[in-house]
Amino acid sequence: MNEMSPLPTVPPEAVPLNLSRRSFLGASLGALVLGVALPAGGRAFAQEAAPAIVPGTRVNAYIQIQPDSTVLFRSAFIEGGQGIFTAMAQIVGEELDVDPTQFVVEGAPPGPDYTLIGGYRFTGGSMSVRMSYDAMRKLGAAARRMLLQAAATQLGVPIAELSTQPGRVIHAASNRSIPYGDLATAAAALPVPTDVPLRARADFRWIGKPVARIDIRDKSTGKATYAIDLKVDGMLYGAVQHGVRLGMEPGTLANEDQVKAMPGVHSVHRLPGAVAVLANSWWRARRAVEALQITWVEAAPGSTVRVMPADYSSEKHLADLKARTGDGLAFETHGEVGPALAGAARIVEASFDAPHLAHAQLEPPSAIARFNADGTLEVWAPNQAPEMFQADAAKVAGIAPEKVIIHSPILGGFFGRHFLYQTANPYQQAIMLAKATGRPVKLLWTREEEFLRDALRPMSLARFRAGLDANGLPVALSAVAVGEGATGRWFGRTADKVDSSAVEGIAGKVYAIPNRRVGHVHVDDPTIIGFWRSVGHSMNDFFYETFFDEMADAGKQDPYELRRRLLADNPRHRNLIEAVAALSGGWKRGPFTAEDGTRRARGVAMASPFGSEVATIAEVSLKGGEVVVHHVWVAVDPGSIVNPAIIEAQVNSAVALGLSSALLEEVVYEGGVPRARNYDGYPILPPERMPKVHVRIVESGAPMGGIGEPGLPGVPPAVVNAASVLTGQRIRSLPLSRSRLTDMAG
């Protein structure tokens, strides 16, 4: 990151300190913590004895029992609409014996207690519940045992004579009971037990049940607090104008003095790739920054800033992907593909492509930065990885990471938007501005700036070549994905290894095709790419599952029956595809005439994302050259479940986004600049085009999988496979809005 132009800096010790809400909770005299109390500032446990901390084992880091026996729970994972706070209350409450309705859940501060994903912490990859389920059950059970032990001492009875009811310890023999809130102080002095027996599955009261979301009332009544709602004392409001292309820097400001004189304006600042105005209201800051007459210049040679070429276009990039030849670096190989293809009775070939996609989240990005008198920096910012943001904020501010306090508000939409992307987050700018002015700064991007600087799903292409035998059955399949994966971009890649995020959804398919190979040709994507809901699966399952139907048609096989045949030795997947067919009333491809007289067809697809298995059927018709989706049936097998109501809601949400991406969404670049800067140029699925969604949950007993993303990847191929039945032509490029589709029956 470039350094900001020199500006006067007020020393942190000159800035007054006011406790934040999280700090206040940590310092509350009335709250009793099982273990060591959380210090003011909310950064307890951040570095303290870090090598000795086993994530997810210290009760005090997570659970705070209040005097009224309600529970403040600090979640390692961030709530963004996926229901994680409710799931945590169910899991912990089940073993702690506290009704989930008695939980208040908030995002935990950075610290080693919360690094539950292989020593890291992030909310993504549909990992939150499945990676913490066992640890959170044990945590709740340990806390309950501590309360029982404290009660045994207070009542003078053996612990074996005690039981619990929600929020209370019961001694049935003497008809006495003690609320948890009255025991918390004594329990806090006890060591955390290990190997506490867990509740039997048959005795679950909340796990596996459709518990109502604990955040729904506040969200429905406008009480829920997002980053965009937050305020701190004495803050300035900031708005920015970015260079339209990455790599452009602000040169002259022709009317800077006039802008500084506008009502409420505090100051004007040059930032890396942007200009900011601070004012006493955000509207005044926005009006002022948009009034600036800025001359933008190209970044200096040798700059570390990523530069977008002035001649870059989506059309040009797609042509580049199509021009790449060869089988690429192998990621997955089974059997002998070359000889099998050479001996095949028939060869089927096709190429598919999918565009860049924006997150287009409802809440525009914002951040607050405040330097405190004790030398700490507080940052309130939407994020999916608090420790990563803490480390980066420290670099920007020039202070040690332990001096950075990260507050993680609930997210107004995310699915990959709030990771640590270069140039795509406002918190770095807020820190620079707060440091320059000595005042807290709240920076809010407009929708136009968000569309300009969002981290996009990569543009991708895949080539397939299959060999069929004399009976029309596949004996070999070669697939080559072309493009760049988000994981390699942000977590590093090596030239001799394939980024799994670039091939997931093509690799790992369980169909019994004896000879198969998946390769990858890496091509740098000039845009800022990022993680998008279901990541590589979002386009790769479309590529594979639509090619599967082409392969079936070429071999004169019904695509549903061919899938069943190739899953004969895989009972979990065969059961799932049969379940979705049964859910839909029985498989029928069509075309057929519906009761309303429309001519319809169905398509089927399967996907295996994030530890779960999904089968999808879509029923569509054509009207006015567009696809109308009437029904989507989804059978999902996440192994085991926590909340079926949340699963159904997440599948509905995933279907909506998958359908939106298939029918409408694409980011188009021209001259190095995205064409759309708001929803008028980037249409998303309107309510009237949302189909009826039918969900069946199948619990196979396999290890728990994810649920936030798996419902999406099967939707685009199921819809396209159905539409191709009606048009009589294969569709190989998204979105469908690019083409006017005509029913072959006229």
Side-chain angles (χ1 to χ4, degrees), residues 574-593:
R574 179 158 176 160
N575 178 52
L576 197 64
I577 197 170
E578 291 175 347
V580 78
L583 182 64
S584 71
W587 169 250
K588 53 179 179 180
R589 192 184 190 193
F592 58 88
T593 301

Side-chain angles (χ1 to χ4, degrees), residues 345 467-475 551-552 554-557 562:
L468 309 181
D469 65 15
N471 296 316
L473 300 177
V475 294
M551 186 173 63
K556 301 187 184 307
Q557 306 285 324
L562 181 59

Side-chain angles (χ1 to χ4, degrees), residues 381-562:
N383 74 87
Q384 294 174 239
E387 286 75 16
M388 296 180 190
F389 275 64
Q390 181 188 47
D392 189 68
K395 291 179 182 178
V396 175
I399 60 178
E402 59 266 25
K403 288 186 174 293
V404 178
I405 306 164
I406 296 290
H407 301 281
S408 304
I410 59 175
L411 305 172
F414 70 118
F415 288 110
R417 175 62 184 91
H418 296 298
F419 279 111
L420 199 64
Y421 302 127
Q422 179 189 24
T423 72
N425 292 302
Y427 72 93
Q428 297 171 333
Q429 297 170 336
I431 292 169
M432 294 177 188
L433 294 167
K435 188 173 183 179
T437 60
R439 295 271 300 274
V441 170
K442 178 175 184 176
L443 186 66
L444 171 64
W445 285 3
T446 62
R447 185 74 63 192
E448 288 76 14
E449 299 304 314
E450 158 69 347
F451 270 92
L452 189 63
R453 286 293 182 265
D454 190 8
L456 309 176
R457 187 187 77 173
M459 180 185 288
S460 300
L461 177 141
R463 301 192 304 268
F464 292 85
R465 192 165 187 251
L468 309 181
D469 65 15
N471 296 316
L473 300 177
V475 294
L477 188 147
S478 172
V480 181
V482 184
E484 182 179 4
T487 300
R489 169 72 69 91
W490 298 112
F491 293 97
R493 75 175 193 91
T494 57
D496 61 340
K497 292 183 178 180
V498 175
D499 176 358
S500 62
S501 69
V503 295
E504 60 186 5
I506 298 175
K509 289 291 186 178
V510 296
Y511 301 119
I513 301 174
N515 304 284
R516 55 193 189 274
R517 179 188 186 275
V518 177
H520 180 245
V521 175
H522 177 85
V523 180
D524 282 334
D525 195 313
T527 68
I528 299 297
I529 62 171
F531 300 97
W532 195 88
R533 192 173 188 176
S534 75
V535 198
H537 286 278
S538 67
M539 60 275 196
N540 289 333
D541 278 296
F542 159 67
F543 299 155
Y544 190 103
E545 293 291 313
T546 46
F547 180 72
F548 190 103
D549 272 36
E550 291 201 33
M551 186 173 63
D553 285 342
K556 301 187 184 307
Q557 306 285 324
D558 177 88
Y560 170 80
E561 294 298 341
L562 181 59

Side-chain angles (χ1 to χ4, degrees), residues 32-64:
L32 300 172
V33 182
L34 283 175
V36 181
L38 184 68
R43 56 188 184 280
F45 333 118
Q47 272 72 37
E48 187 178 312
I53 293 174
V54 177
T57 61
R58 296 207 303 171
V59 171
N60 62 288
Y62 288 85
I63 297 173
Q64 180 172 314

